[in-house]
Amino acid sequence: MTAKAAQFCSVRLCLLASAGAMFFAVPALAQQADDTAASDDSNIIVVTAQKREQDVQDVPISMTVVGGEQLTELGIKDFNELDRYVPNFYVQTTPGNNAFYIRGIGSTPGNLAFEQTVGLFVDGIYGGHARQFQAPFLDVERIEILRGPQGALVGKNTSAGAISVVSARPTRDFRATLEGSYEFELGGTRLFGMVSGPVSDAVSVRVAAQYEDSDGYIENTLLGGNETKRESLFGRASVLIDPGNGADLLIRVEGGKVDLTGTAVERFLTANDPDRERQTGGFPGFMDKDFDNTDNLNASATANIDIGDHVLTSVTGFSSYDFEKKVDADFGPNPSFASSFAEKFSQMSQEIRLASPTTGRIEYILGGYFHVNDYDLFQTTLIRFGPFNGRSDRSFRQENVALSGFGSATWHVADSLRLIGSLRYTYDRKTADQTRVNTGVVQPTWLATPLSGHRVEREWDPSVALQWDATPDAMLYASYGQGSKAGGFIGAQATTTQAQFEIEPEAAETFEVGAKLALFDRRLRFNIAAFRTDFTNLQVSSFDAVSNSFITTNAGEARSQGVESDFSWQIADGVSLNGSLAYLDAKFIEFPGAPCPFTNPTCVPANNNAAGRPLPRSPKWSGTLFADIAVPVSDSVDFVANGGMTYRSSAFLEESYNPAAAQDSYAKFDLRLGIRASNKKWELAIVGKNLTDELTASHAFNTPLAAGVISKFIQPPRTIAVQAKWQY
């Protein structure tokens, strides 16, 4: 056994021992959220996963909760950086859009027009497209990550799970925060400011803004500089109107932009790769360095009205974005292949629900949801290679209308026994048109024929759960649920025929059993969940080296099963230990027509079946182990420390199962050391992430026009940052 393998084995044993000693407990970085999210009992983590405020320990769902303060302390600015802290959650970075995966299942991003299999909700507003909410970590109260199908109550397109981001609310007392950080290793600055407080007896306002400017970590040896450079600016204004007469209204408006220069992709050409170097020279006459620019505008209005002992809630949302990107798509020194993407999207949505009181034998929620959105996608591909010298321009437009009605009822069979049933009906209509124009000499698989389609889907998503409070601090549950993800159209691809233009919806069926325990006055929490989910018509896309494009199809069947666990132990005042461990077995049951495996060069995709193959991007083992310390060093100053490790076992990163395109097992270590005022008015800290400088990849693919060459998206190396915070 090599030293590296021995190290990884030791890491795994450490995680197993730690989590096993704590009774195995649902992977989470879940800590106490900000005091804005906590109830009077600071040991209770309040969530709204079931559209009511509940203690997370009372929710029969395997889930993770991450507080906004944690995100700030660890310097986690987006989902790309969050995923390694949450077992069985994975974010795939690609040349187009990023994709979310839960328990190995997600929407592979080869088709930009598709909604995500993991639904994203920000302040109750559904975001099916990856770029709808570019700044969900701005002034966050908490993030809830729900595993498994959530269609019955949470919303549409959640066949793998859902993510709910809850922004901080305006406060009735005056508060202000200023934060700044500087990253030394790569060079980067972050500034954040927030002011909140009342402007009258009935009105409170909260305003937050954030600016970030950071350098990249992959050197472009031809064009110079490091990639990917990032500059972003976002702001949000929130107004809470609460006259105290049984009605309140919360209005939020946010907007901003993210500008990226360069791409963190390396061709793997030697045994030394990744070496944090790339050679790309742009595409003369079309682009210099890669760039990726997104502008967002989102707004929501949430009203609550007491009707007797019931509460009527209305959530109105608007979401829009503009996106433009150009990329040197051969990822090499010769200008042979380039692509551009542009998206325009706008959506209006409305949800209304009625919630009964929770004091009766039966409690319920009834509601309806509606949205309409318009989506435009423009894509251009240029080729200068061998006999080919031309371009393909495609324009795709889609209109989507979705209507759904949902309900959930809880029957308190006895004081300690509850039966919960939920049901959602969804009507989804899509209409799409696509035009394509080829100029010059292009590959014969690039078509110039127009495409159009109209489809209507009607889906029922039921769920049922049985909860038993074995003791006041021990809840056991068993649940069954179905979830669905809408079908759609292949957007702006050059090779798509009319027969391939439509993709069928995917469906999921899951069984889950779990336990949530809180002991020793809730100082020790540990949870465990076991699950099995079967998917049919799983939507999958993979890169085809012959046509140099991504092909999206429906896989026959897939299965995801495993165990998730976490613990959080408040050992003493100011000292806590938390960890998580997840085991995942995700594989195709049937996938006729799958991409050919790397080990079979004579394979024909039409005759291939990936049955029994693992799902890409689904490591069998993942886990975390962290410790927190806060101890006084004087009457007015505390010492604070947070440190630990995250771990993932090996996984394939693409559908041909090429070992060169896999990611080996790895562990990453983080440490934060600081001092703060005992009243938390100020804080200074230094934060190190990935201290051992592990270079890992989130996505891999066969490089266009470079047979046998693998390219990978490289994740950030070691970073060291200093943080300063002042609050009132």
Side-chain angles (χ1 to χ4, degrees):
M1 178 181 293
T2 66
K4 188 173 184 180
Q7 175 190 356
F8 287 138
C9 289
S10 299
V11 168
R12 183 179 299 181
L13 290 172
C14 176
L15 284 166
L16 282 167
S18 301
M22 288 298 151
F23 212 87
F24 271 108
V26 175
L29 179 68
Q31 302 298 313
Q32 297 174 9
D34 291 4
D35 53 6
T36 54
S39 69
D40 291 338
D41 184 348
S42 62
N43 287 326
I44 292 179
I45 299 175
V46 177
V47 297
T48 51
Q50 296 185 300
K51 298 189 183 293
R52 294 183 186 271
E53 289 192 350
Q54 296 174 285
D55 181 356
V56 67
Q57 295 298 105
D58 296 331
V59 179
I61 298 172
S62 174
M63 63 183 297
T64 289
V65 184
V66 185
E69 186 173 345
Q70 268 187 293
L71 298 173
T72 300
E73 290 178 352
L74 289 173
I76 300 173
K77 61 178 178 290
D78 55 27
F79 285 110
N80 290 325
E81 296 187 358
L82 178 64
D83 74 337
R84 72 179 175 97
Y85 298 93
V86 182
N88 276 355
F89 175 56
Y90 190 96
V91 177
Q92 179 188 16
T93 306
T94 76
N97 288 334
N98 296 345
F100 300 147
Y101 296 77
I102 289 181
R103 294 174 174 173
I105 303 294
S107 294
T108 44
N111 180 23
L112 273 64
F114 271 9
E115 298 98 342
Q116 298 263 6
T117 297
V118 177
L120 175 62
F121 299 81
V122 177
D123 297 323
I125 307 302
Y126 169 66
H129 289 261
R131 294 179 183 267
Q132 273 181 258
F133 299 101
Q134 283 289 92
F137 293 2
L138 170 65
D139 198 24
V140 168
E141 180 180 299
R142 66 182 182 275
I143 298 175
E144 303 173 14
I145 299 175
L146 287 62
R147 301 178 180 88
Q150 306 295 329
L153 189 58
V154 174
K156 74 188 297 282
N157 295 334
T158 55
S159 54
I163 302 170
S164 175
V165 179
V166 181
S167 303
R169 295 166 60 92
T171 54
R172 290 303 301 161
D173 57 327
F174 178 78
R175 301 184 186 186
T177 300
L178 288 175
E179 297 175 1
S181 65
Y182 180 78
E183 202 287 310
F184 294 99
E185 293 278 302
L186 309 178
T189 302
R190 173 186 174 270
L191 300 172
F192 169 80
M194 182 278 296
V195 177
S196 177
V199 295
S200 72
D201 291 340
V203 180
S204 299
V205 174
R206 188 182 189 108
V207 178
Q210 179 173 291
Y211 172 77
E212 181 188 4
D213 185 4
S214 60
D215 204 353
Y217 49 89
I218 305 293
E219 181 185 2
N220 190 323
T221 58
L222 288 184
L223 296 179
N226 294 324
E227 303 178 8
T228 302
K229 295 179 182 292
R230 176 187 176 103
E231 183 176 18
S232 65
L233 176 64
F234 282 93
R236 179 189 300 121
S238 306
V239 179
L240 175 62
I241 304 172
D242 186 359
N245 60 359
D248 63 73
L249 174 65
L250 176 59
I251 301 172
R252 292 185 173 103
V253 179
E254 72 171 41
K257 65 175 185 176
V258 177
D259 294 337
L260 307 177
T261 304
T263 304
V265 170
E266 275 195 52
R267 282 187 172 196
F268 275 56
L269 302 173
T270 72
N272 294 326
D273 292 323
D275 59 4
R276 292 173 54 186
E277 291 184 358
R278 66 191 305 245
Q279 291 183 319
T280 60
F283 202 96
F286 183 67
M287 57 170 288
D288 293 321
K289 276 195 175 182
D290 299 355
F291 68 85
D292 182 323
N293 300 333
T294 306
D295 296 326
N296 292 83
L297 178 63
N298 303 297
S300 65
T302 303
N304 296 291
I305 304 172
D306 292 343
I307 303 177
D309 52 3
H310 289 63
V311 177
L312 180 68
T313 299
S314 168
V315 182
T316 305
F318 171 78
S319 176
S320 69
Y321 69 88
D322 290 335
F323 151 61
E324 183 180 8
K325 176 171 186 168
K326 290 187 177 181
V327 59
D328 183 352
D330 57 69
F331 303 99
N334 299 316
S336 57
F337 203 59
S339 294
S340 70
F341 310 86
E343 293 179 296
K344 292 183 180 294
F345 176 88
S346 64
Q347 174 179 289
M348 289 291 299
S349 64
Q350 177 65 53
E351 178 174 301
I352 297 178
R353 61 180 185 265
L354 181 70
S356 73
T358 59
T359 55
R361 177 71 68 178
I362 295 178
E363 58 186 76
Y364 58 87
I365 295 175
L366 298 173
Y369 173 80
F370 164 81
H371 83 220
V372 57
N373 62 49
D374 295 321
Y375 174 76
D376 291 283
L377 171 62
F378 309 93
Q379 190 166 345
T380 296
T381 305
L382 291 87
I383 185 170
R384 295 175 188 167
F385 183 78
F388 306 115
N389 186 357
R391 63 184 287 164
S392 168
D393 294 282
R394 289 94 67 193
S395 174
F396 173 87
R397 178 171 178 79
Q398 176 178 278
E399 297 177 358
N400 175 221
V401 175
L403 297 161
S404 66
F406 59 88
S408 177
T410 300
W411 176 27
H412 295 262
V413 181
D415 289 343
S416 61
L417 187 65
R418 297 175 296 284
L419 181 64
I420 305 169
S422 302
L423 181 65
R424 177 181 292 263
Y425 169 78
T426 300
Y427 168 92
D428 190 281
R429 185 183 74 216
K430 289 188 175 79
T431 302
D433 294 285
Q434 178 168 299
T435 60
R436 297 181 287 191
V437 177
N438 292 333
T439 55
V441 181
V442 300
Q443 289 188 309
T445 55
W446 294 5
L447 305 177
T449 52
L451 301 171
S452 63
H454 175 84
R455 57 184 297 116
V456 173
E457 298 170 14
R458 298 173 177 87
E459 298 288 348
W460 292 91
D461 293 326
S463 70
V464 62
L466 185 65
Q467 282 183 267
W468 176 44
D469 296 329
T471 72
D473 294 314
M475 186 271 284
L476 310 179
Y477 70 91
S479 65
Y480 166 82
Q482 294 180 9
S484 60
K485 176 179 179 293
F489 300 95
I490 307 298
Q493 289 197 2
T495 62
T496 306
T497 65
Q498 183 66 52
Q500 299 168 327
F501 190 43
E502 294 190 34
I503 294 295
E504 295 305 309
E506 67 183 31
E509 182 179 53
T510 191
F511 295 88
E512 183 171 308
V513 294
K516 296 193 174 187
L517 312 177
L519 304 176
F520 310 124
D521 294 326
R522 305 182 72 90
R523 298 178 73 89
L524 173 62
R525 304 167 186 260
F526 46 90
N527 312 307
I528 185 169
F531 63 91
R532 170 180 283 188
T533 306
D534 289 329
F535 291 82
T536 56
N537 280 337
L538 186 66
Q539 297 166 357
V540 177
S541 66
S542 57
F543 186 78
D544 177 56
V546 176
S547 61
N548 290 300
S549 63
F550 282 89
I551 305 297
T552 304
T553 58
N554 289 104
E557 299 177 27
R559 172 171 293 166
S560 172
Q561 59 188 357
V563 178
E564 299 165 336
S565 62
D566 80 84
F567 73 88
S568 178
W569 183 17
Q570 192 72 32
I571 300 173
D573 290 345
V575 181
S576 63
L577 183 69
N578 63 86
S580 60
L581 181 67
Y583 170 76
L584 178 64
D585 176 21
K587 60 186 178 183
F588 291 111
I589 302 301
E590 286 289 334
F591 188 4
C596 288
F598 172 79
T599 54
N600 187 357
T602 62
C603 162
V604 177
N607 300 326
N608 186 44
N609 193 324
R613 292 275 188 175
L615 293 180
R617 299 164 290 276
S618 58
K620 282 189 175 294
W621 294 96
S622 55
T624 66
L625 186 62
F626 277 81
D628 290 273
I629 298 173
V631 294
V633 294
S634 71
D635 292 339
S636 59
V637 177
D638 295 340
F639 168 75
V640 292
N642 171 278
M645 59 175 288
T646 62
Y647 172 77
R648 277 184 176 164
S649 61
S650 60
F652 290 104
L653 299 183
E654 45 79 65
E655 285 70 17
S656 75
Y657 303 100
N658 185 341
Q663 173 57 56
D664 293 336
S665 303
Y666 66 86
K668 295 184 179 181
F669 297 85
D670 304 330
L671 180 63
R672 182 178 189 270
L673 303 173
I675 56 172
R676 71 184 183 197
S678 298
N679 59 9
K680 298 185 179 180
K681 293 290 186 182
W682 59 265
E683 183 170 0
L684 294 173
I686 186 167
V687 182
K689 295 194 294 185
N690 188 14
L691 291 173
T692 55
D693 203 23
E694 286 284 339
L695 292 182
T696 57
S698 62
H699 176 49
F701 53 94
N702 293 308
T703 308
L705 306 179
V709 176
I710 295 294
S711 292
K712 292 184 180 181
F713 272 80
I714 307 302
Q715 295 173 311
R718 175 179 53 238
T719 59
I720 307 292
V722 61
Q723 298 176 337
K725 178 180 180 179
W726 173 86
Q727 59 185 3
Y728 178 83

